[in-house]
Amino acid sequence: MASTSDIRKGLCIRYNHDIFKIIEFLHVKPGKGPAFVRTKLKSVTTGKVIDNTFSSGHKIEDVRVETHTFQYLYSDGDTFHFMNTSDYNQITLQKSTLDAPELLKEGENVKILINSEDSLPLSVDMPASVILEVTHTEPGVKGNTATNATKPATVETGARVNVPLFINEGDKIKIETEKGSYMERIKE
């Protein structure tokens, strides 16, 4: 058993007969009354996100997890295939388990959390950013914008991202996986 002081991003807990992963948390100490922890929890089975508040000192049941590095091989409809980089065992996961499946490129390494009790995969942690090539975008016209204008672009995985006007087809861009937003152009 853990308490609210052990809450951190990525912690898996058992709550309401399900396993949830903490994706956001905030310790709040109001001027009057006891402290509490405001959390955003994501179900690892359904993908549903809920908000919950735990009072300070509340006991929570944490789930023991192991983190393994897997390489993304390919997708087959809504099924994604991964290979463990240490023992070469392959597993398949449903699209709902992934946070940003549209940004996953073949050969990309990800961290997969596996429940120690029953060896079932719980969630996939994508890298903080990915580098993808722009396959289609309209040419940007100089002079017809105010500041920070963007245009839609399609990257090699099929995802659509808003990019600045100076980005052209064939450019490699860095994308933040958590928000799915453009970060910078990569020079080669």
Side-chain angles (χ1 to χ4, degrees), residues 176-187:
E176 184 181 8
T177 54
E178 192 172 315
K179 296 177 184 166
S181 60
Y182 167 86
M183 290 174 71
E184 63 181 336
R185 179 169 56 177
I186 303 297
K187 303 239 189 319

Side-chain angles (χ1 to χ4, degrees), residues 23-168:
I23 53 176
E24 282 181 29
F25 73 97
L26 178 66
H27 289 276
V28 179
K29 175 70 176 105
K32 184 175 169 185
F36 56 90
V37 181
R38 199 173 282 139
T39 60
K40 195 171 275 200
L41 307 169
K42 180 178 181 179
S43 171
V44 295
T45 54
T46 63
K48 184 179 176 185
V49 177
I50 62 169
D51 291 320
N52 190 47
T53 302
F54 295 103
S55 58
S56 184
H58 183 83
K59 296 289 182 206
I60 53 176
E61 185 179 350
D62 58 335
V63 177
R64 295 177 84 58
V65 295
E66 298 172 356
T67 304
H68 295 283
T69 302
F70 281 78
Q71 184 180 35
Y72 170 59
L73 299 175
Y74 64 95
S75 67
D76 183 19
D78 281 351
T79 307
F80 286 73
H81 299 266
F82 295 89
M83 176 185 67
N84 192 328
T85 56
S86 59
D87 62 8
Y88 306 111
N89 286 335
Q90 291 187 20
I91 63 168
T92 57
L93 297 174
Q94 292 303 312
K95 186 176 187 174
S96 61
T97 323
L98 303 163
D99 291 332
E102 67 279 355
L103 296 176
L104 207 50
K105 182 176 158 185
E106 291 181 4
E108 190 80 41
N109 284 342
V110 295
K111 302 271 188 214
I112 297 184
L113 299 177
I114 297 178
N115 189 341
S116 301
E117 298 166 7
D118 55 12
S119 298
L120 290 175
L122 296 176
S123 71
V124 178
D125 287 339
M126 297 271 294
S129 62
V130 291
I131 296 172
L132 298 172
E133 185 175 331
V134 175
T135 56
H136 176 74
T137 187
E138 298 296 325
V141 180
K142 196 172 186 177
N144 66 350
T145 61
T147 57
N148 295 335
T150 61
K151 62 183 180 180
T154 306
V155 292
E156 62 187 291
T157 60
R160 294 184 59 79
V161 179
N162 284 330
V163 297
L165 294 178
F166 59 82
I167 298 295
N168 298 312

